[in-house]
Amino acid sequence: MKLIKRMNNVFLETHIHQGVFIVRGLVDCIATINYSLGKSFYGEMLLRVYINKKTFELRVWNPFRSKLAAAILSGLENLRLNQGMSVLYLGSSTGTTLSHISDIIGPNGVIYSVENEEKCLPKLLSLSLNRPNIIPIIEDAHYPNRYRMLVQMVDCIIVDISQKEQAKILAINALFFLKTGGNFVMTLKSASIGTMSCELSFGKEINYLRLLGFNPLEQVTLEPYEKSHCVVTGIFTNINKLLNSSSINKLIN
């Protein structure tokens, strides 16, 4: 980490993840550079900083509102989100985490945001109006064939859907859209997987990912920000395994 600015007892440092900054002061937090200058999306604090005679605006990233922020503050190392990347976000809800990913990938990146919960749509659509790198798709993530004409091949798939078949949802979308060697970020909730303990539930889902051709690299629990949740990151390595999976063939057919 590198100290890049000191401002009235507030210290700004770079994070190991590109596009994420550590703000140290009265309260330590993480933040991203605001892609939509002057606009707060969910009531987050905005911080104006001056670096090399340029003005930047930071948005504080609340870990109690975003599972990805909670994972970063819990020590997540393998995120692999960079400027200019293309991302497919499944289950973007009202767009809290989505907005910070929009900051990270910047104007040369693109996020395809898939959501079908009616109550989430007004905020999601409002967010996309102020951020041209977000393309909202009102559809069910179980059926990527319905939006295959709208989405190009992507570098990363992010899944935040509290459903039992979450690994299958990731897999079927990876088959359509994820580049070989591309990465994934998946949030797991133990109660959505089964009645087993968190450790057994998460372990079962991670082993299933391996059978589907994914290489999980890291698992981070989200307490104290979220109970019974974890974030798993990894790489899509073997499309042949996925094509040969009987469960995926059932979904396709």
PDB file of all heavy atoms in Angstrom, residues 63-68 70-71 74 160 162 187-194 196-199 201-202 219-231:
ATOM      1  N   PRO A  63     -19.501  -1.409   3.853  1.00  0.00           N
ATOM      2  CA  PRO A  63     -19.507  -2.872   3.894  1.00  0.00           C
ATOM      3  C   PRO A  63     -20.799  -3.472   4.446  1.00  0.00           C
ATOM      4  O   PRO A  63     -21.039  -4.666   4.273  1.00  0.00           O
ATOM      5  CB  PRO A  63     -18.322  -3.197   4.806  1.00  0.00           C
ATOM      6  CG  PRO A  63     -18.203  -2.012   5.708  1.00  0.00           C
ATOM      7  CD  PRO A  63     -18.572  -0.833   4.849  1.00  0.00           C
ATOM      8  N   PHE A  64     -21.616  -2.654   5.105  1.00  0.00           N
ATOM      9  CA  PHE A  64     -22.898  -3.142   5.603  1.00  0.00           C
ATOM     10  C   PHE A  64     -23.982  -3.052   4.531  1.00  0.00           C
ATOM     11  O   PHE A  64     -25.084  -3.572   4.715  1.00  0.00           O
ATOM     12  CB  PHE A  64     -23.329  -2.358   6.846  1.00  0.00           C
ATOM     13  CG  PHE A  64     -22.447  -2.613   8.036  1.00  0.00           C
ATOM     14  CD1 PHE A  64     -21.422  -1.736   8.357  1.00  0.00           C
ATOM     15  CD2 PHE A  64     -22.606  -3.739   8.820  1.00  0.00           C
ATOM     16  CE1 PHE A  64     -20.588  -1.960   9.447  1.00  0.00           C
ATOM     17  CE2 PHE A  64     -21.787  -3.988   9.913  1.00  0.00           C
ATOM     18  CZ  PHE A  64     -20.767  -3.095  10.223  1.00  0.00           C
ATOM     19  N   ARG A  65     -23.655  -2.388   3.411  1.00  0.00           N
ATOM     20  CA  ARG A  65     -24.586  -2.294   2.293  1.00  0.00           C
ATOM     21  C   ARG A  65     -24.115  -3.084   1.076  1.00  0.00           C
ATOM     22  O   ARG A  65     -24.871  -3.240   0.115  1.00  0.00           O
ATOM     23  CB  ARG A  65     -24.760  -0.813   1.894  1.00  0.00           C
ATOM     24  CG  ARG A  65     -25.381   0.083   2.943  1.00  0.00           C
ATOM     25  CD  ARG A  65     -26.876  -0.139   3.037  1.00  0.00           C
ATOM     26  NE  ARG A  65     -27.556   0.138   1.788  1.00  0.00           N
ATOM     27  CZ  ARG A  65     -27.971   1.348   1.406  1.00  0.00           C
ATOM     28  NH1 ARG A  65     -27.766   2.397   2.201  1.00  0.00           N
ATOM     29  NH2 ARG A  65     -28.593   1.525   0.267  1.00  0.00           N
ATOM     30  N   SER A  66     -22.866  -3.536   1.102  1.00  0.00           N
ATOM     31  CA  SER A  66     -22.286  -4.210  -0.054  1.00  0.00           C
ATOM     32  C   SER A  66     -21.458  -5.406   0.407  1.00  0.00           C
ATOM     33  O   SER A  66     -20.491  -5.256   1.161  1.00  0.00           O
ATOM     34  CB  SER A  66     -21.400  -3.241  -0.849  1.00  0.00           C
ATOM     35  OG  SER A  66     -20.602  -3.928  -1.783  1.00  0.00           O
ATOM     36  N   LYS A  67     -21.815  -6.594  -0.058  1.00  0.00           N
ATOM     37  CA  LYS A  67     -21.078  -7.801   0.329  1.00  0.00           C
ATOM     38  C   LYS A  67     -19.669  -7.802  -0.236  1.00  0.00           C
ATOM     39  O   LYS A  67     -18.745  -8.345   0.375  1.00  0.00           O
ATOM     40  CB  LYS A  67     -21.851  -9.046  -0.097  1.00  0.00           C
ATOM     41  CG  LYS A  67     -23.221  -9.186   0.552  1.00  0.00           C
ATOM     42  CD  LYS A  67     -23.902 -10.460   0.099  1.00  0.00           C
ATOM     43  CE  LYS A  67     -25.347 -10.531   0.596  1.00  0.00           C
ATOM     44  NZ  LYS A  67     -26.224  -9.581  -0.123  1.00  0.00           N
ATOM     45  N   LEU A  68     -19.485  -7.210  -1.400  1.00  0.00           N
ATOM     46  CA  LEU A  68     -18.139  -7.163  -1.971  1.00  0.00           C
ATOM     47  C   LEU A  68     -17.227  -6.257  -1.147  1.00  0.00           C
ATOM     48  O   LEU A  68     -16.054  -6.590  -0.911  1.00  0.00           O
ATOM     49  CB  LEU A  68     -18.190  -6.685  -3.423  1.00  0.00           C
ATOM     50  CG  LEU A  68     -16.869  -6.747  -4.185  1.00  0.00           C
ATOM     51  CD1 LEU A  68     -16.253  -8.141  -4.128  1.00  0.00           C
ATOM     52  CD2 LEU A  68     -17.068  -6.317  -5.635  1.00  0.00           C
ATOM     53  N   ALA A  70     -17.609  -5.785   2.031  1.00  0.00           N
ATOM     54  CA  ALA A  70     -17.364  -6.577   3.244  1.00  0.00           C
ATOM     55  C   ALA A  70     -16.258  -7.590   3.003  1.00  0.00           C
ATOM     56  O   ALA A  70     -15.404  -7.817   3.870  1.00  0.00           O
ATOM     57  CB  ALA A  70     -18.652  -7.280   3.666  1.00  0.00           C
ATOM     58  N   ALA A  71     -16.250  -8.207   1.822  1.00  0.00           N
ATOM     59  CA  ALA A  71     -15.215  -9.195   1.499  1.00  0.00           C
ATOM     60  C   ALA A  71     -13.841  -8.536   1.415  1.00  0.00           C
ATOM     61  O   ALA A  71     -12.847  -9.085   1.897  1.00  0.00           O
ATOM     62  CB  ALA A  71     -15.554  -9.884   0.184  1.00  0.00           C
ATOM     63  N   SER A  74     -12.598  -7.854   4.711  1.00  0.00           N
ATOM     64  CA  SER A  74     -12.309  -9.108   5.409  1.00  0.00           C
ATOM     65  C   SER A  74     -11.048  -9.783   4.873  1.00  0.00           C
ATOM     66  O   SER A  74     -10.721 -10.896   5.279  1.00  0.00           O
ATOM     67  CB  SER A  74     -13.502 -10.066   5.288  1.00  0.00           C
ATOM     68  OG  SER A  74     -14.653  -9.514   5.910  1.00  0.00           O
ATOM     69  N   ASP A 160     -24.606 -12.580  -7.258  1.00  0.00           N
ATOM     70  CA  ASP A 160     -25.105 -12.285  -5.908  1.00  0.00           C
ATOM     71  C   ASP A 160     -26.600 -12.579  -5.883  1.00  0.00           C
ATOM     72  O   ASP A 160     -27.426 -11.675  -5.817  1.00  0.00           O
ATOM     73  CB  ASP A 160     -24.809 -10.836  -5.534  1.00  0.00           C
ATOM     74  CG  ASP A 160     -25.128 -10.538  -4.070  1.00  0.00           C
ATOM     75  OD1 ASP A 160     -25.491 -11.475  -3.347  1.00  0.00           O
ATOM     76  OD2 ASP A 160     -25.022  -9.370  -3.654  1.00  0.00           O
ATOM     77  N   SER A 162     -29.336 -15.074  -3.958  1.00  0.00           N
ATOM     78  CA  SER A 162     -29.533 -16.001  -2.832  1.00  0.00           C
ATOM     79  C   SER A 162     -30.497 -17.108  -3.225  1.00  0.00           C
ATOM     80  O   SER A 162     -31.656 -17.123  -2.825  1.00  0.00           O
ATOM     81  CB  SER A 162     -30.058 -15.228  -1.612  1.00  0.00           C
ATOM     82  OG  SER A 162     -29.101 -14.309  -1.166  1.00  0.00           O
ATOM     83  N   THR A 187     -21.167 -14.674  -4.286  1.00  0.00           N
ATOM     84  CA  THR A 187     -21.574 -14.584  -2.883  1.00  0.00           C
ATOM     85  C   THR A 187     -22.451 -15.780  -2.534  1.00  0.00           C
ATOM     86  O   THR A 187     -23.394 -16.095  -3.263  1.00  0.00           O
ATOM     87  CB  THR A 187     -22.360 -13.285  -2.632  1.00  0.00           C
ATOM     88  OG1 THR A 187     -21.556 -12.169  -2.983  1.00  0.00           O
ATOM     89  CG2 THR A 187     -22.761 -13.167  -1.175  1.00  0.00           C
ATOM     90  N   LEU A 188     -22.122 -16.450  -1.431  1.00  0.00           N
ATOM     91  CA  LEU A 188     -22.901 -17.602  -0.991  1.00  0.00           C
ATOM     92  C   LEU A 188     -23.544 -17.316   0.359  1.00  0.00           C
ATOM     93  O   LEU A 188     -22.920 -16.726   1.233  1.00  0.00           O
ATOM     94  CB  LEU A 188     -22.000 -18.836  -0.861  1.00  0.00           C
ATOM     95  CG  LEU A 188     -21.358 -19.378  -2.140  1.00  0.00           C
ATOM     96  CD1 LEU A 188     -20.432 -20.533  -1.802  1.00  0.00           C
ATOM     97  CD2 LEU A 188     -22.424 -19.818  -3.138  1.00  0.00           C
ATOM     98  N   LYS A 189     -24.793 -17.747   0.491  1.00  0.00           N
ATOM     99  CA  LYS A 189     -25.519 -17.660   1.754  1.00  0.00           C
ATOM    100  C   LYS A 189     -25.886 -19.075   2.158  1.00  0.00           C
ATOM    101  O   LYS A 189     -26.576 -19.786   1.405  1.00  0.00           O
ATOM    102  CB  LYS A 189     -26.774 -16.798   1.580  1.00  0.00           C
ATOM    103  CG  LYS A 189     -27.594 -16.631   2.843  1.00  0.00           C
ATOM    104  CD  LYS A 189     -28.815 -15.763   2.558  1.00  0.00           C
ATOM    105  CE  LYS A 189     -29.671 -15.590   3.800  1.00  0.00           C
ATOM    106  NZ  LYS A 189     -30.885 -14.776   3.506  1.00  0.00           N
ATOM    107  N   SER A 190     -25.439 -19.513   3.330  1.00  0.00           N
ATOM    108  CA  SER A 190     -25.593 -20.918   3.708  1.00  0.00           C
ATOM    109  C   SER A 190     -27.060 -21.351   3.750  1.00  0.00           C
ATOM    110  O   SER A 190     -27.398 -22.462   3.352  1.00  0.00           O
ATOM    111  CB  SER A 190     -24.928 -21.182   5.066  1.00  0.00           C
ATOM    112  OG  SER A 190     -25.548 -20.441   6.095  1.00  0.00           O
ATOM    113  N   ALA A 191     -27.941 -20.468   4.199  1.00  0.00           N
ATOM    114  CA  ALA A 191     -29.360 -20.820   4.308  1.00  0.00           C
ATOM    115  C   ALA A 191     -29.981 -21.081   2.941  1.00  0.00           C
ATOM    116  O   ALA A 191     -30.978 -21.800   2.835  1.00  0.00           O
ATOM    117  CB  ALA A 191     -30.116 -19.697   5.024  1.00  0.00           C
ATOM    118  N   SER A 192     -29.406 -20.497   1.882  1.00  0.00           N
ATOM    119  CA  SER A 192     -29.941 -20.700   0.537  1.00  0.00           C
ATOM    120  C   SER A 192     -29.463 -22.016  -0.068  1.00  0.00           C
ATOM    121  O   SER A 192     -30.030 -22.497  -1.047  1.00  0.00           O
ATOM    122  CB  SER A 192     -29.518 -19.540  -0.374  1.00  0.00           C
ATOM    123  OG  SER A 192     -30.033 -18.316   0.103  1.00  0.00           O
ATOM    124  N   ILE A 193     -28.395 -22.594   0.497  1.00  0.00           N
ATOM    125  CA  ILE A 193     -27.828 -23.827  -0.040  1.00  0.00           C
ATOM    126  C   ILE A 193     -28.483 -25.048   0.595  1.00  0.00           C
ATOM    127  O   ILE A 193     -28.788 -26.031  -0.075  1.00  0.00           O
ATOM    128  CB  ILE A 193     -26.296 -23.860   0.190  1.00  0.00           C
ATOM    129  CG1 ILE A 193     -25.642 -22.660  -0.507  1.00  0.00           C
ATOM    130  CG2 ILE A 193     -25.702 -25.161  -0.326  1.00  0.00           C
ATOM    131  CD1 ILE A 193     -24.184 -22.480  -0.156  1.00  0.00           C
ATOM    132  N   GLY A 194     -28.707 -25.013   1.926  1.00  0.00           N
ATOM    133  CA  GLY A 194     -29.305 -26.152   2.616  1.00  0.00           C
ATOM    134  C   GLY A 194     -29.326 -25.924   4.111  1.00  0.00           C
ATOM    135  O   GLY A 194     -29.099 -24.818   4.600  1.00  0.00           O
ATOM    136  N   MET A 196     -27.356 -27.567   6.283  1.00  0.00           N
ATOM    137  CA  MET A 196     -26.083 -27.946   6.894  1.00  0.00           C
ATOM    138  C   MET A 196     -25.412 -26.725   7.518  1.00  0.00           C
ATOM    139  O   MET A 196     -25.855 -25.589   7.345  1.00  0.00           O
ATOM    140  CB  MET A 196     -25.163 -28.554   5.831  1.00  0.00           C
ATOM    141  CG  MET A 196     -25.692 -29.825   5.191  1.00  0.00           C
ATOM    142  SD  MET A 196     -24.596 -30.416   3.885  1.00  0.00           S
ATOM    143  CE  MET A 196     -24.911 -29.202   2.615  1.00  0.00           C
ATOM    144  N   SER A 197     -24.316 -26.962   8.227  1.00  0.00           N
ATOM    145  CA  SER A 197     -23.537 -25.864   8.790  1.00  0.00           C
ATOM    146  C   SER A 197     -22.946 -25.026   7.665  1.00  0.00           C
ATOM    147  O   SER A 197     -22.863 -25.477   6.513  1.00  0.00           O
ATOM    148  CB  SER A 197     -22.407 -26.404   9.669  1.00  0.00           C
ATOM    149  OG  SER A 197     -21.451 -27.096   8.874  1.00  0.00           O
ATOM    150  N   CYS A 198     -22.529 -23.808   7.995  1.00  0.00           N
ATOM    151  CA  CYS A 198     -21.945 -22.920   6.988  1.00  0.00           C
ATOM    152  C   CYS A 198     -20.765 -23.581   6.291  1.00  0.00           C
ATOM    153  O   CYS A 198     -20.638 -23.536   5.061  1.00  0.00           O
ATOM    154  CB  CYS A 198     -21.492 -21.608   7.635  1.00  0.00           C
ATOM    155  SG  CYS A 198     -22.837 -20.569   8.226  1.00  0.00           S
ATOM    156  N   GLU A 199     -19.874 -24.209   7.091  1.00  0.00           N
ATOM    157  CA  GLU A 199     -18.670 -24.808   6.522  1.00  0.00           C
ATOM    158  C   GLU A 199     -19.021 -25.905   5.509  1.00  0.00           C
ATOM    159  O   GLU A 199     -18.454 -25.967   4.415  1.00  0.00           O
ATOM    160  CB  GLU A 199     -17.794 -25.403   7.635  1.00  0.00           C
ATOM    161  CG  GLU A 199     -17.154 -24.368   8.549  1.00  0.00           C
ATOM    162  CD  GLU A 199     -18.104 -23.863   9.629  1.00  0.00           C
ATOM    163  OE1 GLU A 199     -19.261 -24.364   9.703  1.00  0.00           O
ATOM    164  OE2 GLU A 199     -17.714 -22.964  10.387  1.00  0.00           O
ATOM    165  N   SER A 201     -21.969 -26.334   3.932  1.00  0.00           N
ATOM    166  CA  SER A 201     -22.718 -25.762   2.816  1.00  0.00           C
ATOM    167  C   SER A 201     -21.783 -25.109   1.809  1.00  0.00           C
ATOM    168  O   SER A 201     -21.881 -25.341   0.594  1.00  0.00           O
ATOM    169  CB  SER A 201     -23.728 -24.733   3.329  1.00  0.00           C
ATOM    170  OG  SER A 201     -24.694 -25.321   4.147  1.00  0.00           O
ATOM    171  N   PHE A 202     -20.869 -24.280   2.308  1.00  0.00           N
ATOM    172  CA  PHE A 202     -19.934 -23.599   1.425  1.00  0.00           C
ATOM    173  C   PHE A 202     -19.004 -24.595   0.733  1.00  0.00           C
ATOM    174  O   PHE A 202     -18.723 -24.476  -0.459  1.00  0.00           O
ATOM    175  CB  PHE A 202     -19.114 -22.567   2.206  1.00  0.00           C
ATOM    176  CG  PHE A 202     -19.929 -21.455   2.808  1.00  0.00           C
ATOM    177  CD1 PHE A 202     -19.483 -20.787   3.950  1.00  0.00           C
ATOM    178  CD2 PHE A 202     -21.129 -21.075   2.251  1.00  0.00           C
ATOM    179  CE1 PHE A 202     -20.224 -19.767   4.504  1.00  0.00           C
ATOM    180  CE2 PHE A 202     -21.894 -20.049   2.804  1.00  0.00           C
ATOM    181  CZ  PHE A 202     -21.434 -19.393   3.941  1.00  0.00           C
ATOM    182  N   GLN A 219     -11.769 -18.099  -0.536  1.00  0.00           N
ATOM    183  CA  GLN A 219     -13.054 -18.020   0.159  1.00  0.00           C
ATOM    184  C   GLN A 219     -12.886 -17.130   1.383  1.00  0.00           C
ATOM    185  O   GLN A 219     -11.976 -17.329   2.183  1.00  0.00           O
ATOM    186  CB  GLN A 219     -13.519 -19.411   0.594  1.00  0.00           C
ATOM    187  CG  GLN A 219     -14.781 -19.407   1.437  1.00  0.00           C
ATOM    188  CD  GLN A 219     -15.093 -20.772   2.019  1.00  0.00           C
ATOM    189  OE1 GLN A 219     -14.572 -21.786   1.564  1.00  0.00           O
ATOM    190  NE2 GLN A 219     -15.933 -20.801   3.042  1.00  0.00           N
ATOM    191  N   VAL A 220     -13.768 -16.128   1.508  1.00  0.00           N
ATOM    192  CA  VAL A 220     -13.690 -15.175   2.621  1.00  0.00           C
ATOM    193  C   VAL A 220     -15.061 -15.089   3.274  1.00  0.00           C
ATOM    194  O   VAL A 220     -16.065 -14.834   2.593  1.00  0.00           O
ATOM    195  CB  VAL A 220     -13.252 -13.773   2.137  1.00  0.00           C
ATOM    196  CG1 VAL A 220     -13.272 -12.782   3.290  1.00  0.00           C
ATOM    197  CG2 VAL A 220     -11.862 -13.830   1.521  1.00  0.00           C
ATOM    198  N   THR A 221     -15.132 -15.310   4.580  1.00  0.00           N
ATOM    199  CA  THR A 221     -16.393 -15.113   5.303  1.00  0.00           C
ATOM    200  C   THR A 221     -16.608 -13.626   5.568  1.00  0.00           C
ATOM    201  O   THR A 221     -15.650 -12.864   5.672  1.00  0.00           O
ATOM    202  CB  THR A 221     -16.403 -15.884   6.626  1.00  0.00           C
ATOM    203  OG1 THR A 221     -15.281 -15.470   7.413  1.00  0.00           O
ATOM    204  CG2 THR A 221     -16.314 -17.378   6.386  1.00  0.00           C
ATOM    205  N   LEU A 222     -17.873 -13.229   5.697  1.00  0.00           N
ATOM    206  CA  LEU A 222     -18.198 -11.803   5.746  1.00  0.00           C
ATOM    207  C   LEU A 222     -18.557 -11.277   7.127  1.00  0.00           C
ATOM    208  O   LEU A 222     -18.957 -10.116   7.249  1.00  0.00           O
ATOM    209  CB  LEU A 222     -19.351 -11.510   4.775  1.00  0.00           C
ATOM    210  CG  LEU A 222     -19.122 -11.907   3.321  1.00  0.00           C
ATOM    211  CD1 LEU A 222     -20.250 -11.377   2.461  1.00  0.00           C
ATOM    212  CD2 LEU A 222     -17.772 -11.424   2.813  1.00  0.00           C
ATOM    213  N   GLU A 223     -18.456 -12.081   8.152  1.00  0.00           N
ATOM    214  CA  GLU A 223     -18.729 -11.573   9.499  1.00  0.00           C
ATOM    215  C   GLU A 223     -17.631 -10.584   9.897  1.00  0.00           C
ATOM    216  O   GLU A 223     -16.467 -10.766   9.532  1.00  0.00           O
ATOM    217  CB  GLU A 223     -18.799 -12.732  10.496  1.00  0.00           C
ATOM    218  CG  GLU A 223     -20.002 -13.626  10.233  1.00  0.00           C
ATOM    219  CD  GLU A 223     -20.133 -14.734  11.273  1.00  0.00           C
ATOM    220  OE1 GLU A 223     -19.260 -14.826  12.152  1.00  0.00           O
ATOM    221  OE2 GLU A 223     -21.098 -15.484  11.202  1.00  0.00           O
ATOM    222  N   PRO A 224     -17.958  -9.502  10.578  1.00  0.00           N
ATOM    223  CA  PRO A 224     -19.216  -9.189  11.258  1.00  0.00           C
ATOM    224  C   PRO A 224     -20.232  -8.430  10.400  1.00  0.00           C
ATOM    225  O   PRO A 224     -21.264  -8.014  10.894  1.00  0.00           O
ATOM    226  CB  PRO A 224     -18.744  -8.290  12.405  1.00  0.00           C
ATOM    227  CG  PRO A 224     -17.612  -7.524  11.799  1.00  0.00           C
ATOM    228  CD  PRO A 224     -16.923  -8.488  10.875  1.00  0.00           C
ATOM    229  N   TYR A 225     -19.930  -8.247   9.113  1.00  0.00           N
ATOM    230  CA  TYR A 225     -20.805  -7.425   8.278  1.00  0.00           C
ATOM    231  C   TYR A 225     -22.068  -8.184   7.853  1.00  0.00           C
ATOM    232  O   TYR A 225     -23.153  -7.615   7.794  1.00  0.00           O
ATOM    233  CB  TYR A 225     -20.038  -6.955   7.036  1.00  0.00           C
ATOM    234  CG  TYR A 225     -18.730  -6.283   7.363  1.00  0.00           C
ATOM    235  CD1 TYR A 225     -17.511  -6.941   7.171  1.00  0.00           C
ATOM    236  CD2 TYR A 225     -18.704  -5.007   7.908  1.00  0.00           C
ATOM    237  CE1 TYR A 225     -16.303  -6.328   7.488  1.00  0.00           C
ATOM    238  CE2 TYR A 225     -17.491  -4.386   8.226  1.00  0.00           C
ATOM    239  CZ  TYR A 225     -16.309  -5.054   8.021  1.00  0.00           C
ATOM    240  OH  TYR A 225     -15.124  -4.454   8.339  1.00  0.00           O
ATOM    241  N   GLU A 226     -21.903  -9.474   7.522  1.00  0.00           N
ATOM    242  CA  GLU A 226     -23.028 -10.325   7.130  1.00  0.00           C
ATOM    243  C   GLU A 226     -22.844 -11.689   7.781  1.00  0.00           C
ATOM    244  O   GLU A 226     -21.771 -12.290   7.668  1.00  0.00           O
ATOM    245  CB  GLU A 226     -23.077 -10.494   5.607  1.00  0.00           C
ATOM    246  CG  GLU A 226     -23.477  -9.262   4.818  1.00  0.00           C
ATOM    247  CD  GLU A 226     -24.975  -9.111   4.711  1.00  0.00           C
ATOM    248  OE1 GLU A 226     -25.703  -9.970   5.253  1.00  0.00           O
ATOM    249  OE2 GLU A 226     -25.415  -8.135   4.089  1.00  0.00           O
ATOM    250  N   LYS A 227     -23.879 -12.187   8.442  1.00  0.00           N
ATOM    251  CA  LYS A 227     -23.789 -13.508   9.068  1.00  0.00           C
ATOM    252  C   LYS A 227     -24.076 -14.604   8.035  1.00  0.00           C
ATOM    253  O   LYS A 227     -24.916 -14.440   7.151  1.00  0.00           O
ATOM    254  CB  LYS A 227     -24.789 -13.620  10.220  1.00  0.00           C
ATOM    255  CG  LYS A 227     -24.424 -12.768  11.430  1.00  0.00           C
ATOM    256  CD  LYS A 227     -25.381 -13.018  12.570  1.00  0.00           C
ATOM    257  CE  LYS A 227     -24.982 -12.219  13.812  1.00  0.00           C
ATOM    258  NZ  LYS A 227     -25.894 -12.465  14.954  1.00  0.00           N
ATOM    259  N   SER A 228     -23.369 -15.713   8.163  1.00  0.00           N
ATOM    260  CA  SER A 228     -23.602 -16.916   7.351  1.00  0.00           C
ATOM    261  C   SER A 228     -23.443 -16.665   5.862  1.00  0.00           C
ATOM    262  O   SER A 228     -24.136 -17.263   5.041  1.00  0.00           O
ATOM    263  CB  SER A 228     -25.000 -17.492   7.639  1.00  0.00           C
ATOM    264  OG  SER A 228     -25.169 -17.739   9.015  1.00  0.00           O
ATOM    265  N   HIS A 229     -22.539 -15.756   5.512  1.00  0.00           N
ATOM    266  CA  HIS A 229     -22.243 -15.462   4.114  1.00  0.00           C
ATOM    267  C   HIS A 229     -20.748 -15.631   3.864  1.00  0.00           C
ATOM    268  O   HIS A 229     -19.930 -15.451   4.771  1.00  0.00           O
ATOM    269  CB  HIS A 229     -22.615 -14.023   3.753  1.00  0.00           C
ATOM    270  CG  HIS A 229     -24.073 -13.790   3.520  1.00  0.00           C
ATOM    271  ND1 HIS A 229     -24.985 -13.737   4.552  1.00  0.00           N
ATOM    272  CD2 HIS A 229     -24.773 -13.577   2.374  1.00  0.00           C
ATOM    273  CE1 HIS A 229     -26.197 -13.503   4.053  1.00  0.00           C
ATOM    274  NE2 HIS A 229     -26.092 -13.406   2.732  1.00  0.00           N
ATOM    275  N   CYS A 230     -20.407 -15.941   2.629  1.00  0.00           N
ATOM    276  CA  CYS A 230     -19.011 -15.883   2.214  1.00  0.00           C
ATOM    277  C   CYS A 230     -18.952 -15.440   0.763  1.00  0.00           C
ATOM    278  O   CYS A 230     -19.957 -15.485   0.035  1.00  0.00           O
ATOM    279  CB  CYS A 230     -18.306 -17.229   2.402  1.00  0.00           C
ATOM    280  SG  CYS A 230     -18.637 -18.453   1.128  1.00  0.00           S
ATOM    281  N   VAL A 231     -17.784 -14.998   0.343  1.00  0.00           N
ATOM    282  CA  VAL A 231     -17.528 -14.667  -1.055  1.00  0.00           C
ATOM    283  C   VAL A 231     -16.447 -15.604  -1.564  1.00  0.00           C
ATOM    284  O   VAL A 231     -15.419 -15.810  -0.909  1.00  0.00           O
ATOM    285  CB  VAL A 231     -17.103 -13.193  -1.219  1.00  0.00           C
ATOM    286  CG1 VAL A 231     -16.470 -12.947  -2.584  1.00  0.00           C
ATOM    287  CG2 VAL A 231     -18.302 -12.279  -1.046  1.00  0.00           C
TER     288      VAL A 231
END
